[in-house]
Amino acid sequence: MRYFLKPFIALLKIMILIKLGGSIITNKEKPLTSNRNSIRRIATSLKNVNEPLVIVHGGGSFGHYWSVKYDMHTRPERHQAKGVSVVKNSMIELNSIVLESFLQSGLKPYCLPPSDFMIGDRPLVNKVREIPKIAKTGLMPISYGDVMWYGKNKFYILSGDRIMGILSKLLHPRLAIFVTNVDGVYLDMKSKKLLKEITTEKPVTSKVSMDVTGGMSRKIKEAFNISKHGTDVFFVNGNIPKRIRNAINGKSFEGTIFRG
């Protein structure tokens, strides 16, 4: 059975999955403020990539700001309707900014709300497997973290990092790249020692004590899960967009690699 699966998996590994962290596309220090210059620089850099790309972005000072204000979390709970509405609308606003910036940079973004391929907290497998087909047309699917209906009047926050894990497990991308506002994963912030390659989970989970981007621990967890399925995962600094291209092209770069 494994022999026959290999050609199928090889065919799937023709796309690259990229997560744009909220720390790089928004100003986390100022609520509801996007970083349009950063988004445009990254979009311009991606114009030179000749492989299908699927983009996921976080909430930064938009969705994250309101989800904290209304005490909404990743676990399904009952929340007041206003909070659900405000969080969802803020993510639609940020996604519109990303789509507009990519379009103005000469790309062909395709809005892909997570509700298109998720029901409750479960992926719709057939819908997920349509995503690479969209990417092969020349369009660039762009999804994002969002507040999701769970059922029984419950809602939860589906993070962009979690979407990365879900899509990677089902699509087996050639690479997965997390773009943040720091150089990669640090052993600790005191020594500023950058971990350039990570092959085992224990040293990192026991020593990384600070969440340097507001969600680094979640990113690390998803990166390990993705790498366990055979995909190399890169953490790069989006303030230097060429590092994204270097990771894609297999060139030396400054960042952190989780070996698949």
Side-chain angles (χ1 to χ4, degrees):
M1 178 65 72
R2 185 176 300 174
Y3 173 81
F4 291 107
L5 282 174
K6 283 183 179 179
F8 175 70
I9 293 175
L11 285 173
L12 287 176
K13 287 195 172 187
I14 55 173
M15 55 159 282
I16 297 169
L17 191 57
I18 299 177
K19 162 70 191 308
L20 302 181
S23 61
I24 197 68
I25 64 172
T26 72
N27 180 353
K28 280 197 166 185
E29 304 302 317
K30 189 175 180 180
L32 311 177
T33 306
S34 64
N35 189 340
R36 290 177 184 264
N37 289 335
S38 178
I39 298 171
R40 288 197 186 101
R41 286 197 300 268
I42 291 172
T44 300
S45 178
L46 295 179
K47 283 178 63 176
N48 299 318
V49 178
N50 295 317
E51 293 180 67
L53 300 177
V54 176
I55 310 294
V56 180
H57 70 77
S61 65
F62 284 73
H64 181 72
Y65 168 76
W66 288 117
S67 63
V68 170
K69 192 175 183 66
Y70 285 99
D71 196 27
M72 300 182 69
H73 304 280
T74 56
R75 61 181 179 274
E77 291 182 351
R78 297 188 179 212
H79 295 285
Q80 57 178 299
K82 182 178 179 180
V84 172
S85 179
V86 169
V87 173
K88 179 168 282 291
N89 287 342
S90 72
M91 287 309 302
I92 292 173
E93 180 182 355
L94 178 58
N95 182 246
S96 296
I97 293 171
V98 174
L99 293 171
E100 179 187 3
S101 297
F102 272 54
L103 193 59
Q104 290 177 345
S105 299
L107 298 170
K108 301 176 183 65
Y110 179 89
C111 181
L112 188 70
S115 56
D116 279 9
F117 56 86
M118 296 283 297
I119 182 167
D121 61 348
R122 295 180 293 107
L124 298 168
V125 176
N126 290 339
K127 292 291 187 180
V128 171
R129 287 180 176 162
E130 293 292 324
I131 297 174
K133 297 177 184 179
I134 297 171
K136 289 177 191 175
T137 67
L139 294 168
M140 187 178 293
I142 299 184
S143 192
Y144 51 90
D146 201 1
V147 55
M148 300 288 290
W149 164 258
Y150 184 76
K152 298 181 180 179
N153 295 327
K154 292 183 179 180
F155 294 85
Y156 74 101
I157 299 296
L158 175 66
S159 71
D161 297 326
R162 184 71 194 106
I163 293 174
M164 287 287 287
I166 291 169
L167 297 184
S168 293
K169 184 176 180 179
L170 292 172
L171 298 179
H172 303 279
R174 185 175 75 80
L175 296 174
I177 303 174
F178 285 79
V179 182
T180 72
N181 67 339
V182 293
D183 288 338
V185 180
Y186 296 99
L187 181 61
D188 59 71
M189 291 304 294
K190 186 175 181 180
S191 66
K192 278 284 188 176
K193 181 180 179 181
L194 182 68
L195 299 174
K196 296 195 174 181
E197 182 171 338
I198 298 175
T199 57
T200 180
E201 188 169 357
K202 289 184 179 179
V204 180
T205 55
S206 63
K207 293 182 180 179
V208 173
S209 57
M210 281 196 68
D211 189 340
V212 297
T213 65
M216 189 61 82
S217 61
R218 291 191 299 273
K219 291 175 177 57
I220 291 171
K221 179 180 178 181
E222 293 298 342
F224 276 119
N225 290 335
I226 294 169
S227 65
K228 287 175 183 176
H229 290 92
T231 297
D232 286 343
V233 184
F234 295 79
F235 278 50
V236 301
N237 192 331
N239 291 308
I240 310 173
K242 69 177 182 180
R243 292 184 182 177
I244 304 173
R245 295 200 312 274
N246 287 345
I248 291 173
N249 297 329
K251 296 181 179 178
S252 60
F253 80 107
E254 187 175 355
T256 301
I257 304 173
F258 292 71
R259 293 291 183 187

